[in-house]
Amino acid sequence: YSSEEAFLEPELPYLAQKFKKIIILAIGLGKGAKLTRTITGNTDCYNVISLPKRVSRALSLIKGVARSLLPPDKDADAEVKGDFKKRVFYEYFRARGEREYAPCEKILDKYDFSQFDSVTVYSYWFFVTALVGAKIQDYLKPKSKKVRLISRAHRYDIYDYANSLKYLPMRRYLLDKFDEIYPCSIDGEKFILEKFPEYKDKVKHRYLGTDDCGVSQMNDDCFHIVSCSRMVGIKRVERIATALSLLDKDNILKLKWTH
């Protein structure tokens, strides 16, 4: 939808070859987002959010704060250990998962899942979408012979130190629920397993990819490197400049860098 989810676009043709039916439930958008990409014939897309994004998030936050004023349940108490800010985050996370799952269930009610040998629930992020995925798995279990739960993981949904509270909610709950979690780097895999070594059979790094467009011939004798990312610190774009300076330390190469 719109300019979001560019990472999913090149995956779809591969998924379409392996699955009889694909249902995309986009929960991270705002109300009224338009479908802007061509999708395969066996794919159905839904923007499940009926409110503006900020309104939806604000309502989840209000519910989270309200719950935080009540005595915690056993799971919340064990996780936040009396830290009120963490409790608010925990309850906001849970409330947001509930809010974003509810319209998914109404959409999935339209489908007959008993016709399939198995169903795979696939979350691209190991955060709120993963919590929604866990709820979808619970919903599907009585309707399908086999339901697998898979998630990718990237950065903010792996490294708790990147959060201002140094905390990510419901990690162990999600690790218990999922069949496999795929961090996009070896470092991400190591980080999860250092904290939760008992899940070593579930957590495996899987690199992200793009289409192989082959090698094109340039018309000049210039070594031309092209990079693409946001210009923010975590992308470490300056490392490319360092690498190129090392590559051309004797100043014998003709280099061009386009970002």
Side-chain angles (χ1 to χ4, degrees), residues 11 152 182-187 204-210:
E11 275 194 30
R152 289 193 184 274
Y182 296 143
C184 67
S185 68
I186 293 175
D187 188 74
K204 307 163 188 173
H205 68 277
R206 292 289 184 270
Y207 296 126
L208 302 179
T210 187

Side-chain angles (χ1 to χ4, degrees), residues 13-253:
Y14 298 95
L15 296 174
Q17 293 173 18
K18 299 294 183 180
F19 293 90
K20 291 180 181 178
K21 188 71 182 173
I22 299 170
I23 304 168
I24 297 178
L25 303 170
I27 67 171
L29 303 169
K31 179 182 179 181
K34 302 298 183 184
L35 190 67
T36 54
R37 294 179 174 86
T38 301
I39 56 174
T40 57
N42 62 343
T43 302
D44 297 340
C45 286
Y46 300 92
N47 175 14
V48 306
I49 302 301
S50 59
L51 295 170
K53 183 188 287 189
R54 288 184 179 180
V55 174
S56 180
R57 301 278 173 89
L59 291 172
S60 296
L61 179 59
I62 290 169
K63 190 171 184 179
V65 171
R67 283 179 172 175
S68 299
L69 299 174
L70 301 173
D73 59 31
K74 181 181 177 182
D75 292 334
D77 189 41
E79 190 164 315
V80 303
K81 297 180 174 61
D83 187 314
F84 183 72
K85 288 183 179 180
K86 288 183 179 179
R87 174 79 193 283
V88 171
F89 191 12
Y90 177 96
E91 297 296 355
Y92 160 75
F93 183 82
R94 191 167 65 156
R96 190 175 149 195
E98 292 167 357
R99 173 175 293 278
E100 295 181 357
Y101 164 73
C104 295
E105 184 176 308
K106 293 178 181 178
I107 291 166
L108 295 174
D109 279 339
K110 302 173 185 177
Y111 293 87
D112 176 16
F113 290 97
S114 65
Q115 64 181 302
F116 303 113
D117 295 330
S118 66
V119 179
T120 299
V121 182
Y122 170 33
S123 170
Y124 205 84
W125 306 91
F126 198 52
F127 197 61
V128 174
T129 55
L131 181 58
V132 173
K135 293 178 180 296
I136 290 174
Q137 184 194 45
D138 291 340
Y139 164 86
L140 288 173
K141 276 183 175 179
K143 302 174 183 292
S144 179
K145 303 177 186 72
K146 180 181 179 182
V147 185
R148 299 182 71 237
L149 190 56
I150 310 293
S151 182
R152 289 193 184 274
H154 305 267
R155 183 180 182 272
Y156 81 89
D157 52 350
I158 294 178
Y159 301 104
D160 50 13
Y161 64 75
N163 181 273
S164 60
L165 296 178
K166 307 293 187 289
Y167 163 70
L168 292 174
M170 302 179 76
R171 296 286 92 182
R172 192 174 294 280
Y173 170 81
L174 292 174
L175 285 161
D176 276 337
K177 293 285 283 184
F178 273 76
D179 294 294
E180 295 184 57
I181 299 99
Y182 296 143
C184 67
S185 68
I186 293 175
D187 188 74
E189 177 186 330
K190 287 181 177 178
F191 185 86
I192 294 173
L193 293 181
E194 281 174 2
K195 287 178 170 286
F196 305 101
E198 64 270 33
Y199 296 103
K200 66 181 185 303
D201 294 332
K202 291 186 175 186
V203 181
K204 307 163 188 173
H205 68 277
R206 292 289 184 270
Y207 296 126
L208 302 179
T210 187
D211 291 328
D212 183 355
C213 300
V215 178
S216 61
Q217 290 298 122
M218 303 297 290
N219 294 326
D220 53 29
D221 59 351
C222 180
F223 181 80
H224 189 179
I225 184 169
V226 180
S227 53
C228 179
S229 77
R230 291 181 296 132
M231 292 290 285
V232 294
I234 61 170
K235 299 299 183 182
R236 301 188 295 179
V237 176
E238 75 281 357
R239 297 291 185 94
I240 299 175
T242 302
L244 290 175
S245 68
L246 292 171
L247 183 66
D248 194 28
K249 61 184 177 181
D250 297 323
N251 199 29
I252 58 173
L253 291 175

